[in-house]
Amino acid sequence: MGIRIERVVDHVAEVVLDVPPVNALGGADFHELARVVTGLGRDASVRALLLRSAVERGFAAGVDVRELTDGGPQAVVAVTRGCAAAYGAVDECDVPVVAAVHGFCLATGVGLVGGADVIVAAEDATFGLPEVDAGGLGTVTQLSRLVPEKKARWLAYSGARVGAADLRCWGAVERVVARAQLLDEARAAAAALAAKHPRTLRAARASLHAIDPVDARRSFRREMGRIFELNLTAAPGPARSALLSARR
């Protein structure tokens, strides 16, 4: 369990999130994910990454709220820095990243797939930011890559979710498939990218990152500052307690 490399076949490396029951990741998980993704991107034998979840219920549910609750402001800093490292690793990976998404893709799930190049989603996939309801903030930087600007505001304030079909209409999701077909379709998408000339493919990835109008690291860093300020108040406490009770 944890973050692992499942297999490397035909120049495609699969990175698996496996933190039951809901892939609520802690600071160490985020840093390990950043290390794995960065290392694979620099591996000359790898031409594409596939990021997926081994948890049956969904892709990722957010951060480990217990770690935030027990650790105080210092834990908030540590976890948000871990988030930044993981998001940055996916966003800046030397090779294209395909995300295979099923079930819930919330909070940090949105943060990760927002930096991916291609999203293949199951019909049951839903995307959203429950941060406000959970006493938190953040990840709107990555959400804004998936949905229109006014929709991002609504989702950030309301905690509502949108489905894979909506994201496909907005151009964020490449394919929506039956849950049983998700892994095969995501692997096929990654294989199609890995079949390209490796040097040209890496150059294309670098060029697309270079022309991105938003510096995602800097933008998320600003969000982190607001998160820290909020956590110096008592506001997040009741919401986090309720969330922990719901996850039991």
Side-chain angles (χ1 to χ4, degrees), residues 3 15-17 23-25 29-34 37 51-53 59-63 82-92 97-101 105-119 127 129 131 139 141-143 145-146 205 220:
I3 309 300
V15 179
V16 182
L17 310 179
N23 275 341
L25 307 183
D29 297 316
F30 288 117
H31 284 294
E32 177 63 7
L33 179 58
V37 169
L51 181 63
R52 64 181 182 85
S53 165
F59 182 78
V63 303
C83 288
Y87 299 169
V90 174
D91 185 42
E92 299 161 12
V97 178
V98 176
V101 181
C105 182
L106 307 175
T108 57
V110 168
L112 294 171
V113 303
D117 296 279
V118 178
I119 302 173
F127 302 75
L129 296 186
E131 273 83 345
T139 320
T141 296
Q142 289 75 23
L143 176 68
R145 289 177 164 178
L146 303 178
R205 182 66 164 95
F220 184 67

Side-chain angles (χ1 to χ4, degrees), residues 208-228:
L208 286 172
H209 181 71
I211 65 172
D212 197 315
V214 176
D215 183 331
R217 277 191 182 267
R218 183 173 64 180
S219 180
F220 184 67
R221 183 68 180 84
R222 290 178 174 175
E223 289 188 87
M224 288 168 58
R226 298 294 184 181
I227 296 168
F228 183 74

Side-chain angles (χ1 to χ4, degrees), residues 59-180:
F59 182 78
V63 303
D64 184 349
V65 177
R66 186 173 289 104
E67 187 172 329
L68 295 179
T69 302
D70 296 344
Q74 290 183 332
V76 174
V77 172
V79 171
T80 53
R81 283 180 174 171
C83 288
Y87 299 169
V90 174
D91 185 42
E92 299 161 12
C93 186
D94 289 346
V95 298
V97 178
V98 176
V101 181
H102 69 276
F104 48 74
C105 182
L106 307 175
T108 57
V110 168
L112 294 171
V113 303
D117 296 279
V118 178
I119 302 173
V120 179
E123 294 168 336
D124 67 347
T126 58
F127 302 75
L129 296 186
E131 273 83 345
V132 169
D133 291 335
L137 304 170
T139 320
V140 179
T141 296
Q142 289 75 23
L143 176 68
S144 297
R145 289 177 164 178
L146 303 178
V147 306
E149 187 264 341
K150 295 302 182 193
K151 179 61 71 173
R153 290 173 181 262
W154 169 248
L155 296 178
Y157 298 148
S158 68
R161 303 184 191 184
V162 291
D166 288 325
L167 263 67
R168 190 172 189 277
C169 288
W170 296 323
V173 166
E174 178 64 24
R175 305 176 191 175
V176 179
V177 301
R179 174 73 175 269

